Amino acid sequence: MQRVVMKFGGTSLGIVANLTRALALIESRLARDAHAPVVVVSALSGATDLLVRFADVPHERTRLAEAFTERHRAHAEAAGLPGALDDALADWRVRAAGAADRPMRDATRDALLASGEMLSAALVASALAARGVAARAWHAGIAGLVTDDRHGAAHPLPASRARLAASLPPSREVAVVTGFVGQTSDGQTTTLGRGGSDFSAAWVGAALAVDEIEIWTDTSGMLSADPRVVPEARPVPELSFTEASELAYFGAKVLHPKTLLPAIERGIPVRVLNTARPQDPGSRITAMAAAPPGTWWVKSIASRSGITAVTIVSSRMLMAHGFLARVFEVFARHHLVVDLVTTSEVSISVTLDDTQGLDAALADLEGIGEVEVRSGLAIVAVVGDGAPTQVGLAGQVFSLLGGIAVPVEMISQGASRVNLSFVVREEHATAAIRLLHRGLGLESHEPQRAPTR
Ligand code: ADP
Ligand code: ASP
Ligand code: MG
């Protein structure tokens, strides 16, 4: 290949054995490809959690600053690079000591949160240099990743493409770029949201038109379910962009939900690989064709908890023009993002992930109909290209759930070719996923065929 992006997550860098493997993987890529890979790094595992707490809880700062410094100092030493981060950590201590005695917000908070990625970029660049590999650490914002100013959830601006391409031309020097962070056009550091390094990697990869975006993590690919829920979950070798996007959106933490957008735009394959087991094939995510007709090919099940459902019942809705428009206008005005929607003749139910602004919206919705709010729910998404359009899948899913008496609160089927989703109470989600994983045959390698009738 000409050039790839390699993104290493927190556990790939924060455990010495994995860091060593990551360095070897970078070197072997460098030996194989025409140009050096662009390496995108996350903070060491646990580092961003410490920083978030530091930002939020002023009275714990002394202890947290010490823990953060010691984590990095000890890690550099264990990796055979004693002192490599001393200057960077000294700067960090000055910044920490200067923090005003109140919770941090916006630009101040983002500048602090970026420290985790800055330190791990510095560590990886020095480790490469110590192995005789030309490498340079970059703050992604300085490298050209310009974003809007939504601190904590910033989105890259189109102008970053040309800027990144100009600062990171093809070369034999490994650019080690911070994931998760960017900067506004006036130079303030921003962050892209928790888990955002995957998105950074994809954005940088698309800007540089690389041949492949590799996400190196702690599982051998995107698995058939969250391994913390289903220990026997297995890697899915091939996924389409749509399948992987739905899984990421509905809770497969292995990819940040926005990761695939830039890859889709440029048609760049994304691979999810295991740093600790680089020989495993992992998952390949491309614009591949749909499953053959007649197969279900359910590939994976994802879920997201903390979901709230809002139901609006109005007898006036019956045959009325504009009812749905009025309901959605209220959600839009209060910046509430709706995921699933189901309607009946006299009611509409929607699910919300983030309920900030809901109280104000409820007052407006009450003018339209009777409103009921249920929280503590989970969305479960059964994903596989073509699966929901096959006769029999819904029947099997819901009869399996009926068999263990899991009540289904809402169903959304048919809107998407790849995703059959439903809502259950949070406490039922694990049992539902385990049962479906087994019942739909996700443990086996073979694509699941629709039953012949
Ligand atoms: P990284 O630090 O490499 O970015 P993350 O912790 O963000 O890693 O994401 C990897 C984790 O995502 C896995 O260890 C696993 O617990 C979780 N996960 C949830 N759903 C899936 C899935 N379908 N496939 C793989 N991992 C998943
Ligand atoms: N370090 C950041 C986080 O923990 C970004 C990432 O890991 O992708 O959220
Ligand atoms: Mg992650």
Side-chain angles (χ1 to χ4, degrees), residues 116-312:
E117 270 69 13
M118 291 294 288
L119 283 158
S120 68
L123 182 69
V124 170
S126 357
L128 286 169
R131 294 165 79 110
V133 174
R136 171 169 171 192
W138 285 88
H139 179 300
I142 309 234
L145 194 95
V146 190
T147 70
D148 58 23
D149 60 1
R150 281 186 296 158
H151 287 284
H155 194 85
L157 300 177
S160 346
R161 293 200 187 102
R163 296 198 197 182
L164 285 163
S167 8
L168 305 173
S171 82
R172 296 295 296 165
E173 181 185 76
V174 179
V176 184
V177 182
T178 56
F180 181 55
V181 309
Q183 76 179 17
T184 58
S185 45
D186 56 1
Q188 292 199 323
T189 293
T190 51
T191 61
L192 313 187
R194 293 305 306 270
S197 298
D198 304 321
F199 183 39
S200 308
W203 187 272
V204 170
L208 305 180
V210 297
D211 301 311
E212 191 167 275
I213 296 159
E214 297 179 352
I215 306 290
W216 290 89
T217 184
D218 62 354
T219 59
S220 294
M222 279 196 110
L223 307 184
S224 52
D226 184 336
R228 292 163 299 184
V229 176
V230 182
E232 62 274 24
R234 55 168 63 242
V236 183
E238 296 274 346
L239 294 119
S240 68
F241 283 132
T242 328
E243 289 169 332
S245 304
E246 295 274 322
L247 288 169
Y249 185 71
F250 284 105
K253 185 190 168 217
V254 62
L255 288 184
H256 182 275
K258 286 185 184 171
T259 309
L260 295 161
L261 299 174
I264 293 170
E265 233 170 75
R266 289 281 179 112
I268 303 174
V270 174
R271 293 182 67 193
V272 180
L273 296 152
N274 190 339
T275 307
R277 296 182 53 88
Q279 69 281 11
D280 288 356
S283 296
R284 201 174 130 82
I285 306 166
T286 58
M288 63 183 252
T295 52
W296 283 355
W297 222 331
V298 170
K299 292 189 179 169
S300 182
I301 305 172
S303 81
R304 214 163 63 191
S305 46
I307 301 293
T308 300
V310 180
T311 301
I312 302 112

